[in-house]
Amino acid sequence: MKKALSVLMTSALTVGMLAACGPEEGATSTTPGSGSGGEKPEKLVVWEDKDKGPALDYAIKSFEKEHGIKIEYKEVETTKIQEQLALDGPAGTAPDVVTIPHDNIGPAVTKGLLAELTTTSDETTSRFSESSIDAMTFDGKLYGLPKATETPVLVYNKAFMKEAPKTMDELKAFSEDFTKDGKYGFLALLDNYYFAHGFLSGYGGYVFGEKDGSFDTKDLGVNNAEAVEAVDYINTWYQDKLLPNGIIGENGGSALDGLFNEGKVASVMNGPWSFQGYKAAGIDIGAAPMPKLPNGEPVQTFMGVKGWNVTSFSTNKEWAEKFIDHITNDENAKKRFELTQEIPPNTALLEDPIIKDNELASAVAMQSQDAVPMPSIPEMSEVWPPMQSAVQTVITGKADSKKALDEARKTIEENIKANHSGK
């Protein structure tokens, strides 16, 4: 999720106030506003995701027609928006609206870059899945509206698998029969905590507990008895030689994709970002929610949500909220899916033929109902390396699950204490 942003910004002062502008050109409202944005501005400036502009055009036209407010947008790499906003905000060149991944919200709010949504109604938030709204929430406050969701699912080669197994036991039985002569029934990057988390969470493990509507960083569930059981289960796939040791570490993803594209794998655990590449390789793919775990519970995958956010530098916050309400309504979300194939979290669209009859999109939408939003707090950055190391230590036979996870928890606690004072 990280590329360089190659856009320059210019600044301008208008009628004694800061006027925000998008990369390379234009300023935001030249109409005096209250900061909360009660008075109608002449225009709003938006930073859209790279190569996604056409999806925004459709919604802009109806908003401009209804409200008489000009919308200017620029395509910017979403993964660099937080960094750029930190520079452009104080310089008076920030936009009114941005789009960022939900796990960037906590750090962005902590840095004072995003504004809480204060005029968005319950009627608006109710059109989205509860988990996607949770993803837009930090410390009990709403900081955006969701536009797209992604989470890993079971992707399978229809030449080998006519339909997706309903349980992991069924998938394992299939793999035991299929895995031979350089072919594999199922591959997953289970040494990577992003993917392994779905198994830990499904068994009852968790990252952070909750307290008063916020994450409690002192309550870590990464090494509870359920998490240990989950890692023990993951390890059985390696002990039974159903997952090869080559699908591990930094090169695991490319190895997995390469084998699947070569027609040597019946199924993989992967996300919607992989669909196009598999189809381009000539694989007739199907997709389904992850099979149920041996304990009967769903694999609770991590979910990523991209959303629309109002910047703290906007002088037209109320109108910026109206705009993101408009562009995320069911009609505009449906149009966005048609143009980008990004899966909308609008619950009404789950039954719309455009999603329901699209096997790949439907799988992601259904899996998202059981998915867990990645914690959006800054402390989450301390979780990834220790947990990945712990799972790798287990599957390579260097330690048992309890010892490895206990060590991971200790490291996470030490790093949070050292790098996030006051938490």
Side-chain angles (χ1 to χ4, degrees):
M1 302 185 186
K2 313 296 187 263
K3 293 181 182 176
L5 175 66
S6 60
V7 278
L8 301 175
M9 304 294 294
T10 60
S11 62
L13 290 175
T14 306
V15 196
M17 60 177 282
L18 292 177
C21 73
E24 299 180 349
E25 69 178 49
T28 56
S29 170
T30 56
T31 303
S34 64
S36 64
E39 190 170 349
K40 182 185 293 188
E42 292 181 2
K43 66 180 175 181
L44 298 171
V45 171
V46 179
W47 286 359
E48 165 66 292
D49 198 359
K50 202 72 173 173
D51 301 322
K52 298 295 193 302
L56 193 56
D57 282 331
Y58 178 83
I60 283 175
K61 290 176 182 177
S62 54
F63 184 84
E64 290 179 336
K65 182 177 180 180
E66 180 179 353
H67 297 290
I69 299 173
K70 175 71 175 175
I71 303 297
E72 289 186 359
Y73 75 85
K74 285 290 182 180
E75 294 182 349
V76 181
E77 294 286 355
T78 57
T79 54
K80 284 295 184 179
I81 282 180
Q82 183 181 169
E83 176 184 337
Q84 193 66 34
L85 196 55
L87 299 173
D88 296 340
T93 56
D96 297 285
V97 173
V98 294
T99 178
I100 62 173
H102 87 269
D103 53 326
N104 285 186
I105 289 177
V109 170
T110 301
K111 296 173 184 175
L113 305 180
L114 300 181
E116 177 190 358
L117 304 190
T118 58
T119 63
T120 298
S121 68
D122 291 341
E123 180 180 0
T124 291
T125 56
S126 67
R127 67 176 175 242
F128 306 103
S129 66
E130 183 178 350
S131 58
S132 67
I133 288 295
D134 286 345
M136 295 288 104
T137 304
F138 177 70
D139 275 350
K141 299 177 180 179
L142 185 65
Y143 284 95
L145 293 180
K147 71 170 180 176
T149 183
E150 59 184 21
T151 195
V153 295
L154 186 75
V155 187
Y156 60 95
N157 186 332
K158 291 185 176 181
F160 302 132
M161 192 176 280
K162 301 305 179 185
E163 61 180 12
K166 302 298 183 185
T167 69
M168 290 300 297
D169 286 342
E170 292 175 14
L171 180 59
K172 195 168 189 182
F174 173 90
S175 295
E176 288 170 344
D177 181 61
F178 187 90
T179 301
K180 55 189 173 184
D181 301 326
K183 291 188 175 183
Y184 300 92
F186 172 67
L187 292 181
L189 304 178
L190 296 185
D191 69 303
N192 183 323
Y193 183 58
Y194 174 78
F195 294 97
H197 169 270
F199 292 78
L200 273 70
S201 184
Y203 271 92
Y206 57 91
V207 185
F208 302 115
E210 291 189 19
K211 183 178 181 180
D212 300 327
S214 301
F215 286 112
D216 182 358
T217 58
K218 293 183 174 61
D219 179 8
L220 287 167
V222 296
N223 67 328
N224 64 14
E226 293 81 4
V228 171
E229 184 180 6
V231 175
D232 282 340
Y233 172 70
I234 288 173
N235 195 31
T236 65
W237 284 81
Y238 292 89
Q239 290 178 331
D240 296 343
K241 302 190 183 304
L242 299 176
L243 291 178
N245 289 335
I247 309 299
I248 190 172
E250 293 182 4
N251 298 321
S254 59
L256 180 150
D257 288 339
L259 288 169
F260 192 79
N261 286 338
E262 291 169 11
K264 296 180 179 179
V265 182
S267 64
V268 295
M269 180 185 185
N270 218 333
W273 52 84
S274 69
F275 294 166
Q276 188 57 43
Y278 293 159
K279 290 191 288 186
I283 307 297
D284 183 13
I285 61 171
M290 287 296 297
K292 294 290 176 74
L293 292 164
N295 64 358
E297 295 297 320
V299 176
Q300 296 179 1
T301 50
F302 266 141
M303 177 175 69
V305 180
K306 294 178 182 178
W308 292 108
N309 314 88
V310 177
T311 75
S312 59
F313 308 102
S314 173
T315 56
N316 300 289
K317 294 181 177 64
E318 181 178 328
W319 284 100
E321 279 195 52
K322 288 181 185 294
F323 177 68
I324 66 173
D325 184 342
H326 177 79
I327 61 177
T328 57
N329 67 30
D330 291 345
E331 177 186 352
N332 289 324
K334 179 177 178 178
K335 187 65 175 180
R336 186 177 185 88
F337 172 72
E338 291 176 355
L339 296 171
T340 67
Q341 295 299 294
E342 291 182 318
I343 315 300
N346 301 52
T347 55
L349 297 183
L350 289 177
E351 296 303 316
D352 190 292
I354 194 172
I355 299 291
K356 191 174 183 179
D357 296 344
N358 182 317
E359 182 181 358
L360 305 183
S362 181
V364 175
M366 288 190 291
Q367 179 65 41
S368 295
Q369 303 306 301
D370 291 319
V372 178
M374 285 182 290
S376 59
I377 58 177
E379 290 85 349
M380 185 61 192
S381 63
E382 311 300 345
V383 175
W384 301 108
M387 288 303 292
Q388 180 155 319
S389 176
V391 180
Q392 288 183 358
T393 297
V394 173
I395 64 181
T396 54
K398 298 176 182 176
D400 62 35
S401 297
K402 180 170 175 27
K403 180 179 179 181
L405 291 176
D406 285 348
E407 184 63 31
R409 174 177 178 146
K410 179 181 177 182
T411 302
I412 293 168
E413 288 177 327
E414 291 175 346
N415 289 345
I416 288 177
K417 184 177 180 179
N419 300 324
H420 306 271
S421 60
K423 296 291 184 180

